[in-house]
């Protein structure tokens, strides 16, 4: 914290030093297993993101009085784009914001992984573009013009909240084998995380931003309840997407989950822009509120270099929704440990490893979601989605029970359909991810599928609050 405060004061960045402890503590919470130097680099980036928000949010008349009018601000933004693109050094600039960005970019370039830094640079460019759009929208609204559409606001507002820049920088500084292969899943979850935090930011800071003449989701027509429900749905989507990767101990996924949880809990309690001036109580659904709050225990130290055996390959395939060879799945199934009833209890989201068999086609036609294990005598084996996306129990084929069954030489808890000649057998990949096989009477080929524990309530259709 002293080091960051010295850096902040030395450059003269427009950020209160009172925020330094929060910025350092949040980075320590994100990735407590990373070296302190890495955490310092991310904290410094967070300071810069806070500073740029203050610079670009400044009213044009205030900037004009400081001899830094709109044209000069636009020129500074163009310079920051060039520094990020590597077209300008910026280290000897008279502008402290440019010097700070040049230092951050140079250090990330020196310590980060090139294939991942490209995502960080793009997220930073998108931040600047998004803030330009926000400034233009504020000027149009002040002049009596039309406000932006809500969908456009959320698209660009998710970039300007700063979450994607923090997370992509963390990924670039991690020594995690195979991380680029997991990017499709990680980036999708990251977008949901950014939408979550944008909406919670708008909920917490709405009254302040109204006074400052800014546009937010509530000003564009969302009610507080609708904004909170959308935020909750996006958070659930983020965590469900990450579940197979966090269960496997990948630091990239654990860090993202901890980033979104930190920010969500922070906004439930106070406005970080004005931390000493709370103008309202806890948000709906947050700590101290009346709705349910989900708490996550401290996550064990992620494995920065997990062994890349078949188990990790299969976990990657599950996370990405890809396909995998049945012969290799059978060999892995025989190596894995059996499961007991206690491990199975709860709701699980499922998926297959191929799309061409009759079983795969039937599940796709049913919009199969997963399974719910209430207890040994009550299992809902066919959770499906309706036309609106809500999850329901499809019971036309009956329910099921859990029984101890010997299969392929191991005794394990299995799911036995009440009305169908089918037994589903389970093996433990992790405590939250199972490799499964459907044993159907009269079929010579086994149908392999997977189940991933759902960390919260089963989601409803988009917009219903989860």
């Amino acid at each position: 914290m002293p080091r960051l405060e010295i850096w902040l004061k030395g450059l003269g960045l427009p950020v209160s030093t009172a925020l330094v402890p929060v910025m350092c503590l949040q980075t320590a919470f994100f990735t407590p297993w990373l070296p302190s130097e890495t955490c310092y680099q991310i904290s410094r980036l967070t300071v810069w993101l806070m500073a740029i928000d203050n610079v670009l949010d400044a009213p044009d008349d205030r900037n004009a009085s400081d001899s830094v009018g709109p044209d000069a601000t636009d020129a500074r933004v163009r310079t920051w784009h060039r520094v990020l693109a590597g077209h300008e050094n910026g280290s000897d600039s008279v502008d402290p914001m440019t010097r700070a960005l040049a230092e951050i970019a140079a250090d990330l370039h020196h310590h980060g992984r090139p294939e991942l830094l490209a995502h960080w640079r793009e997220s930073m460019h998108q931040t600047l573009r998004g803030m330009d759009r926000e400034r233009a929208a504020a000027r149009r609204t002040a002049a009596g013009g039309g406000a932006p559409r809500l969908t456009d606001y959320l698209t660009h507002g998710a970039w300007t909240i700063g979450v994607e820049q923090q997370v992509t920088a963390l990924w670039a500084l991690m020594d995690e084998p195979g991380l680029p292969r997991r990017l499709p899943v990680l980036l999708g979850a990251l977008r949901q995380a950014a939408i979550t935090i944008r909406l919670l930011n708008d909920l917490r800071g709405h009254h302040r931003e109204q006074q400052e003449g800014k546009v937010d989701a509530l000003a564009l027509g969302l009610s507080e309840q609708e904004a909170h429900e959308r935020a909750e749905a996006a958070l659930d989507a983020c965590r469900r997407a990450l579940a197979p990767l966090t269960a496997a101990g990948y630091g990239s996924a654990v860090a993202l989950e901890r980033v979104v949880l930190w920010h969500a809990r922070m906004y439930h309690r106070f406005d970080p822009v004005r931390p000493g001036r709370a103008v309202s109580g806890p948000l709906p659904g947050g700590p101290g509120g009346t709705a349910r709050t989900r708490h996550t225990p401290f996550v064990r130290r992620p494995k920065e270099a997990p062994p890349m055996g078949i188990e990790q390959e299969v976990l990657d395939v599950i996370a990405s929704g890809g396909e995998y060879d049945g012969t290799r799945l059978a060999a892995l199934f025989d190596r894995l440990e059996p499961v007991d009833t206690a491990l199975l209890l709860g709701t699980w989201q499922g998926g297959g490893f191929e799309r061409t068999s009759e079983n795969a086609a039937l599940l796709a036609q049913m919009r199969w979601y997963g399974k719910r294990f209430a207890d040994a005598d009550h299992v809902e084996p066919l959770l499906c989605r309706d036309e609106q996306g809500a999850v329901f129990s499809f019971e036309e084929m009956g329910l099921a029970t859990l029984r101890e069954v010997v299969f392929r030489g191991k005794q394990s808890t299995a799911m036995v359909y009440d009305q169908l000649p089918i037994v589903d057998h389970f093996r433990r990949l992790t405590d939250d991810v199972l490799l499964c096989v459907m044993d159907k009477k009269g079929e010579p080929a086994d149908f392999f599928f997977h189940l991933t524990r759902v960390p919260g309530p089963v989601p409803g259709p988009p917009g219903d609050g989860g």
Side-chain angles (χ1 to χ4, degrees):
M1 289 192 295
R3 184 180 175 191
L4 185 64
E5 185 171 340
I6 290 169
W7 183 79
L8 170 60
K9 288 180 176 178
L11 284 165
L13 300 180
V15 176
S16 169
T17 55
L19 293 172
V20 165
V22 173
M23 295 178 187
C24 290
L25 287 169
Q26 72 174 21
T27 310
F29 178 85
F30 297 163
T31 49
W33 64 89
L34 291 184
S36 59
E37 180 62 29
T38 300
C39 292
Y40 171 71
Q41 290 187 56
I42 300 302
S43 298
R44 196 172 50 180
L45 172 62
T46 306
V47 167
W48 193 86
L49 291 167
M50 179 70 76
I52 194 175
D53 198 43
N54 292 336
V55 168
L56 297 184
D57 275 352
D60 290 338
D61 56 352
R62 192 185 84 188
N63 279 339
S65 66
D66 293 338
S67 299
V68 187
D71 291 342
T73 300
D74 291 342
R76 294 171 82 186
V77 172
R78 288 194 294 271
T79 299
W80 298 334
H81 278 298
R82 290 196 297 272
V83 169
L84 288 168
H87 299 151
E88 188 166 326
N89 186 310
S91 60
D92 55 355
S93 172
V94 296
D95 174 26
M97 291 291 296
T98 302
R99 293 201 308 276
L101 179 59
E103 185 177 339
I104 292 167
D107 283 353
L108 282 173
H109 178 76
H110 179 70
H111 297 286
R113 298 165 64 173
E115 71 275 26
L116 297 171
L117 282 175
H119 293 279
W120 173 75
R121 283 192 293 269
E122 177 58 24
S123 75
M124 295 291 286
H125 286 303
Q126 291 283 16
T127 297
L128 296 175
R129 296 181 193 118
M131 288 185 172
D132 272 343
R133 285 177 174 268
E134 289 179 356
R135 292 166 58 216
R139 286 197 292 265
R140 282 197 306 271
T141 304
R149 294 186 304 168
L150 179 63
T151 53
D152 291 338
Y153 168 78
L154 290 177
T155 297
H156 298 286
W159 285 111
T160 61
I161 200 63
V163 172
E164 300 189 59
Q165 298 73 28
Q166 291 175 317
V167 173
T168 51
L170 277 170
W171 290 344
L173 294 170
M174 286 184 181
D175 181 22
E176 181 183 303
L179 197 160
R181 293 201 309 273
R182 291 180 278 281
L183 280 177
V185 175
L186 290 168
L187 289 171
L190 178 54
R191 176 92 315 211
Q192 294 297 323
I195 291 171
T196 298
I197 303 311
R198 164 49 63 193
L199 288 167
L200 293 178
N201 170 277
D202 289 0
L203 277 166
R204 172 56 69 192
H206 176 62
H207 298 294
R208 169 179 55 79
E209 293 189 338
Q210 267 190 320
Q211 297 170 356
E212 296 172 357
K214 299 176 185 175
V215 175
D216 63 18
L218 275 66
L220 295 177
L222 278 188
S223 68
E224 288 192 2
Q225 186 63 32
E226 288 170 333
H228 180 261
E229 288 175 352
R230 287 198 183 199
E232 285 284 286
L235 177 58
D236 284 345
C238 171
R239 298 187 71 190
R240 287 197 305 273
L242 291 176
L245 299 180
T246 56
Y250 286 115
S252 54
V254 173
L256 172 51
E257 183 175 58
R258 293 178 72 79
V259 166
V260 70
L261 289 176
W262 169 279
H263 283 93
R265 292 168 180 173
M266 176 180 67
Y267 282 117
H268 275 305
R269 289 174 168 83
F270 65 90
D271 179 359
V273 178
R274 302 286 186 272
R277 298 186 222 164
V279 295
S280 61
L283 297 180
T290 56
R292 176 190 66 254
T293 304
R294 292 174 219 138
H295 296 281
T296 296
F298 190 87
V299 181
R300 68 185 182 278
R301 177 187 176 101
K303 297 172 284 188
E304 279 293 284
M308 296 302 292
I310 185 173
E311 291 90 344
Q312 298 298 340
E313 288 182 11
V314 171
L315 287 167
D316 281 351
V317 168
I318 292 172
S320 63
E323 300 185 50
Y324 203 78
D325 177 69
T327 303
R328 300 194 71 194
L329 288 172
L332 174 61
F333 186 91
D334 290 342
R335 283 170 38 195
L336 295 176
E337 292 300 312
V339 302
D340 57 26
T341 300
L343 179 70
L344 287 172
L345 297 183
T347 302
W348 299 73
Q349 185 170 1
F353 291 99
E354 49 90 2
R355 301 180 179 88
T356 58
S357 69
E358 181 181 341
N359 289 318
L362 177 61
L363 292 175
Q365 183 180 358
M366 295 173 64
R367 299 191 189 91
W368 181 60
Y369 173 82
K371 301 179 183 292
R372 182 186 291 115
F373 303 93
D375 54 47
D377 295 319
H378 184 88
V379 178
E380 297 169 349
L382 296 171
L383 298 181
C384 300
R385 288 191 181 274
D386 62 18
E387 294 285 350
Q388 288 71 44
V391 175
F392 70 99
S393 178
F394 181 83
E395 298 184 2
E396 281 79 352
M397 296 183 180
L399 300 176
T401 56
L402 295 178
R403 295 290 182 264
E404 292 294 316
V405 176
V406 176
F407 181 68
R408 299 175 75 107
K410 289 184 181 179
Q411 180 171 317
S412 177
T413 301
M415 191 199 78
V416 182
Y417 278 83
D418 293 342
Q419 300 176 17
L420 300 173
I422 298 175
V423 179
D424 286 345
H425 304 274
F426 313 112
R427 295 291 187 269
R428 179 189 173 280
L429 265 170
T430 75
D431 285 344
D432 297 308
V433 184
L434 305 178
L435 178 60
C436 319
V437 62
M438 183 176 74
D439 181 19
K440 189 174 183 180
K441 186 176 181 179
E443 287 200 5
D446 293 325
F447 176 71
F448 286 94
F449 63 98
H450 52 82
L451 293 173
T452 298
R453 191 187 305 277
V454 177
V458 177
D464 77 340

